[in-house]
Amino acid sequence: MRIATWNVNSVRSRIDRVEAFVARHDVDVLVLQETKARDDQWPLMGLQAMGYEVATHGLNQWNGVAVVSRVGLEDVEPGFPGMPGFGDPVAPEARAIGATCGGVRVWSLYVPNGRKVDDPHMTYKLEWLAALRTQATQWLADDPDAAVVLAGDWNVVPTDDDVWDIEQFRNSTHVTPAERAAFAAFIEAGYADLARPHTSGPGTFTYWDYYRQRFERNRGMRIDFLLGTPAVEQRVTGAFVDRDERAGTGASDHAPVIVDLR
DNA sequence: ATGGTCGTTTCACGA
């Protein structure tokens, strides 16, 4: 089973690329972030014609997540229990959706950006990650053999090697000790970075800013991850970043990350 | 410190 995660930065402006991507790589399950489409705006028809089911969670023009699957799509759940902002009548958030696909519980996650280190959104980001970690820990406690994948745009750079120049990020979000600790807490809880063993080495990034020719110069960041429970980790046979998807006109600022399970 | 480029419900703001 081939699972991919991709921050698509508007699914409506990039649906042709999404359809070409799943066809090119024979993807079974694709989780998307920053779809920027309400549920009623989603361009479903092409994917459905290709044999995929689609579960969307979009409340406004911001955020938005989805699960696309051709190996079943059951028990769809927008948001996770205790997720900050979920169901908020003033500022509702659409940053997580879960579904069971081919026997694996898959979550599409769009972790809050944080904006600035001293911004309230940074506190929100850390609370969001802590709430998710509480759930992730519980799922594994309930069933140590659970097959769970937490995939998406984590907006965290776990190590200095995961960014093109750490000196450029001295007072920035994504690299602070608090964010790195929040990410590491998932590893400590028993979740493994599924792609890293197969996509190692400096310069392996998943995101490049649009401006200043960051992609052409490979000045990027690794912030898109698939974390898996032990039951999933032992099934991984390979992984790669589809760097080509970031090239050319009309690309998202993120590249997809693909993981293969036996 | 600023600005660069994308996206959106665009003449403003988030990433």
Side-chain angles (χ1 to χ4, degrees), chain A residues 47-238:
Chain A
L47 288 168
Q48 290 175 336
M50 296 168 73
Y52 290 92
E53 296 176 275
V54 185
T56 70
H57 180 39
L59 302 171
N60 49 44
Q61 74 272 39
W62 310 117
N63 313 324
V65 284
V67 180
V68 179
S69 172
R70 66 177 184 190
V71 291
L73 191 58
E74 300 164 3
D75 303 322
V76 174
E77 185 181 356
F80 54 83
M83 174 180 144
F86 180 59
D88 187 323
V90 178
E93 290 276 67
R95 295 184 175 273
I97 186 171
T100 300
C101 308
V104 179
R105 187 66 179 164
V106 180
W107 284 91
S108 180
L109 307 168
Y110 180 44
V111 176
N113 175 284
R115 300 192 185 181
K116 303 285 184 185
V117 290
D118 58 353
D119 192 292
H121 287 86
M122 183 68 156
T123 306
Y124 171 61
K125 177 181 192 173
L126 297 172
E127 291 173 351
W128 200 95
L129 284 167
L132 177 61
R133 195 252 191 172
T134 296
Q135 293 304 312
T137 300
Q138 191 59 51
W139 295 330
L140 213 39
D142 291 344
D143 177 9
D145 297 322
V148 181
V149 174
L150 309 176
D153 176 359
W154 290 75
N155 271 318
V156 176
V157 172
T159 77
D160 288 357
D161 284 339
D162 296 323
V163 64
W164 59 279
D165 181 7
I166 189 63
E167 296 302 326
Q168 300 285 329
F169 291 80
R170 276 306 166 208
N171 292 305
S172 304
T173 61
H174 293 58
V175 304
T176 65
E179 288 164 283
R180 287 181 170 177
F183 182 85
F186 288 86
I187 307 298
E188 290 154 13
Y191 287 75
D193 183 341
L194 301 179
R196 188 173 291 269
H198 301 273
T199 58
S200 60
T204 303
F205 304 131
T206 65
Y207 163 83
W208 301 258
D209 267 339
Y210 279 125
Y211 42 73
R212 289 191 169 179
Q213 296 182 300
R214 287 271 172 83
F215 178 68
E216 290 75 7
R217 300 173 178 186
N218 197 30
R219 294 179 172 180
M221 309 163 79
R222 184 196 275 242
I223 55 177
D224 298 272
F225 302 97
L226 300 95
L227 302 189
T229 54
V232 175
E233 181 188 19
Q234 65 186 21
R235 292 172 56 187
V236 176
T237 59

Side-chain angles (χ1 to χ4, degrees), chain A residues 9-12 33-41 57-65 92-94 110:
Chain A
N9 187 17
S10 170
V11 71
R12 285 174 291 165
Q33 302 86 37
E34 276 205 271
T35 53
K36 295 187 176 179
R38 294 191 311 266
D39 293 339
D40 61 288
Q41 296 175 312
H57 180 39
L59 302 171
N60 49 44
Q61 74 272 39
W62 310 117
N63 313 324
V65 284
E93 290 276 67
Y110 180 44

